């Protein structure tokens, strides 16, 4: 069997999809499946969109199994093959766009590609719900295959016993709910690690709340792993995600998790997290206080639940689910 993967144009500042499918492709390849990667050579813009469609039409053979790994859904439009899988990571952020931008998005990223696809893979039940809302006619094509763990899983359970607890926040975009997260940290005796460039508004809020923090951005995977290892708690009170990979990364590194009690975060976290209402500063603070005051025995139990949860998201498990899809085409 041969699978042709269509990947977005490489951007060194946005490598989450490449990292994810790097693990999946390696696992699939190890099972005897031949893989061909075709990267989109064109950037953004409406002219480049049409160039990309023509490029993939010329590059892919008529009977190929094609897997579009994310973002470039439009690559399906011109393909001659009918064996097309599209992995959809999220659709929710379009809601704040202008009418014309949304119209272009709906035509070229949703309506035309989804009609062509044989299988549409949603990475979470939340993403599946979004697909159903925007194009219910394709729901019968949709299957849920979650993301896999993309970080080493620590073998030993280590309890951090430093006097000042460390809280880690990963991501600073608007959907990450940074304002409420920072406000919830007020009067807590903690040091905060924030990954992602901070806007001045958030820096001012940190200073006004007298919160000790360090800001990191453009860091390597290894540097991020070290931050997980140093942190006592991951605070991931996001109001919107397609999946929520930092939850799994924290569980893999024996870090307690406080996350949102909404899809997909509560589903991804399983029993290995403290769940909070992301719209309530008081509830986020309450969740943090619970995490920070757990006994060592309670921490160990929570970490063990997180490790058990990770089994659902192993590379082996996720790659096998994709192989099952390829074999049925």
């Amino acid at each position: 069997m041969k699978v042709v993967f269509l990947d977005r144009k490489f951007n060194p500042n946005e490598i989450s999809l490449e990292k994810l499918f790097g693990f999946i492709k390696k696992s699939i390849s190890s099972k005897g499946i031949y893989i061909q990667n075709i990267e989109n050579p064109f950037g953004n813009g409406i002219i480049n969109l049409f160039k990309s469609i023509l490029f993939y039409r010329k590059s892919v053979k008529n009977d190929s199994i094609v897997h579009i790994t994310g973002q470039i859904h439009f690559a399906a439009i011109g393909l001659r093959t009918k064996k097309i899988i599209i992995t959809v990571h999220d659709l929710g952020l379009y809601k704040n766009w202008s009418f014309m931008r949304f119209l272009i998005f709906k035509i070229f990223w949703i309506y035309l590609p989804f009609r062509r696809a044989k299988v549409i893979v949603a990475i979470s039940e939340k993403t599946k719900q979004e697909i159903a809302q925007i194009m219910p006619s394709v729901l019968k094509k949709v299957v849920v295959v979650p993301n896999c763990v993309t970080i080493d899983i620590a073998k030993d359970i280590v309890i951090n016993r430093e006097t000042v607890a460390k809280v880690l926040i990963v991501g600073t975009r608007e959907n990450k709910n940074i304002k409420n997260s920072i406000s919830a940290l007020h009067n807590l005796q903690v040091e905060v690690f924030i990954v992602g460039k901070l806007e001045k508004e958030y820096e001012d809020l940190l200073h006004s709340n007298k919160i000790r923090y360090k800001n990191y951005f453009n860091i390597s995977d290894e540097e991020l792993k070290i931050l997980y290892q140093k942190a006592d708690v991951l605070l991931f009170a996001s109001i919107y995600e397609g999946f929520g990979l930092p939850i799994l990364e924290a569980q893999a590194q024996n870090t307690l998790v406080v996350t949102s009690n909404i899809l997909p975060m509560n589903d991804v976290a399983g029993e290995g997290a403290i769940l909070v209402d992301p719209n309530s500063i008081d509830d986020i603070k309450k969740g943090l206080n619970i995490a920070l005051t757990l006994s060592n025995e309670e921490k160990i139990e929570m970490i063990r639940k997180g490790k058990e949860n990770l089994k659902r998201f192993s590379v082996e498990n996720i790659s096998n689910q994709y192989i099952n899809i390829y074999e049925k085409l």
Side-chain angles (χ1 to χ4, degrees):
M1 185 191 301
K2 175 183 174 180
V3 180
V4 181
F5 286 91
L6 307 189
D7 303 317
R8 66 184 180 182
K9 183 177 176 62
F10 180 74
N11 179 348
N13 297 317
E14 294 183 0
I15 60 170
S16 57
L17 295 188
E18 291 74 14
K19 179 181 174 184
L20 170 68
F21 273 95
F23 282 87
I24 294 170
K25 291 174 185 178
K26 184 177 179 180
S27 179
I28 290 171
S29 181
S30 71
K31 300 176 191 299
I33 296 174
Y34 178 73
I35 285 174
Q36 180 184 1
N37 298 305
I38 304 179
E39 180 185 329
N40 183 14
F42 302 104
N44 298 325
I46 194 71
I47 293 175
N48 282 334
L49 183 148
F50 287 108
K51 286 181 178 180
S52 300
I53 292 170
L54 290 173
F55 167 76
Y56 280 120
R57 182 177 177 83
K58 294 176 182 178
S59 301
V60 177
K61 294 181 179 179
N62 294 6
D63 60 346
S64 298
I65 296 174
V66 173
H67 188 165
I68 299 170
T69 56
Q71 269 200 358
I72 57 168
H73 303 173
F74 53 79
I77 295 171
L79 297 178
R80 295 181 177 91
T81 180
K82 295 181 179 179
K83 302 174 183 178
I84 302 170
I85 305 109
I86 301 176
T87 293
V88 181
H89 296 271
D90 61 70
L91 296 175
L93 296 179
Y94 70 81
K95 294 176 181 177
N96 297 322
W97 292 354
S98 66
F99 173 78
M100 185 55 65
R101 188 180 180 192
F102 170 65
L103 183 62
I104 293 170
F105 173 75
K106 186 171 183 179
I107 293 170
F108 291 101
W109 270 263
I110 298 175
Y111 182 71
L112 294 178
F114 286 6
R115 285 191 65 188
R116 292 296 328 279
K118 189 77 171 179
V119 178
I120 300 168
V121 174
I123 62 168
S124 66
E125 287 293 337
K126 173 68 174 177
T127 300
K128 182 178 179 179
Q129 290 175 8
E130 290 173 348
I131 294 170
Q133 289 171 359
I134 200 167
M135 195 172 176
S137 61
V138 300
L139 192 56
K140 62 185 178 182
K141 298 183 181 182
V142 181
V143 298
V144 176
V145 178
N147 290 340
C148 66
V149 183
T150 58
I151 194 172
D152 295 336
I153 299 177
K155 294 181 180 179
D156 299 321
I157 294 177
V158 179
I159 301 300
N160 194 332
R161 294 183 175 84
E162 293 188 24
T163 304
V164 178
K166 308 293 193 297
V167 175
L168 175 63
I169 296 174
V170 177
T172 55
R173 291 183 179 179
E174 186 176 355
N175 63 295
K176 303 298 182 182
N177 201 22
I178 298 301
K179 187 173 182 179
N180 278 4
S181 296
I182 292 172
S183 299
L185 291 162
H186 179 59
N187 283 338
L188 295 183
Q189 299 304 307
V190 297
E191 182 179 358
V192 184
F193 303 145
I194 302 175
V195 178
K197 196 168 183 63
L198 284 167
E199 295 181 11
K200 187 177 185 301
E201 173 192 359
Y202 300 141
E203 290 180 334
D204 291 343
L205 188 60
L206 285 159
H207 290 304
S208 65
N209 282 292
K210 298 180 181 179
I211 296 169
R212 295 170 52 190
Y213 75 97
K214 294 178 181 178
N215 188 207
Y216 305 84
F217 48 93
N218 296 331
I219 62 174
S220 67
D221 290 344
E222 186 62 28
E223 289 170 317
L224 178 60
K225 185 171 78 170
I226 291 170
L227 288 177
Y228 278 115
Q229 292 169 347
K230 288 182 177 180
D232 297 282
V233 179
L234 169 73
L235 175 55
F236 195 69
S238 179
I239 55 174
Y240 176 81
E241 295 289 329
F243 186 73
L245 197 57
I247 295 168
L248 302 185
E249 293 174 334
Q251 289 177 339
Q253 294 300 313
N254 301 323
T255 306
L256 298 176
V257 176
V258 175
T259 193
S260 304
N261 192 17
I262 57 174
L263 286 174
M265 280 73 76
N266 51 8
D267 181 49
V268 171
E271 296 184 358
I274 295 164
L275 302 177
V276 299
D277 177 359
N279 296 306
S280 168
I281 294 170
D282 288 342
D283 203 50
I284 297 170
K285 183 185 285 288
K286 180 181 176 182
L288 282 168
N289 274 318
I290 291 171
L292 294 171
T293 56
L294 292 176
S295 67
N296 280 353
E297 291 75 18
E298 290 170 328
K299 289 180 183 178
I300 290 170
E301 180 60 23
M302 183 67 73
I303 290 169
R304 283 180 175 154
K305 286 179 179 178
K307 287 290 185 62
E308 186 65 27
N309 182 56
L310 290 176
K311 293 177 182 178
R312 296 191 291 148
F313 306 99
S314 70
V315 179
E316 179 79 8
N317 188 10
I318 303 310
S319 63
N320 283 339
Q321 290 183 54
Y322 274 117
I323 290 170
N324 287 338
I325 293 172
Y326 304 149
E327 289 176 342
K328 292 176 182 177
L329 292 176

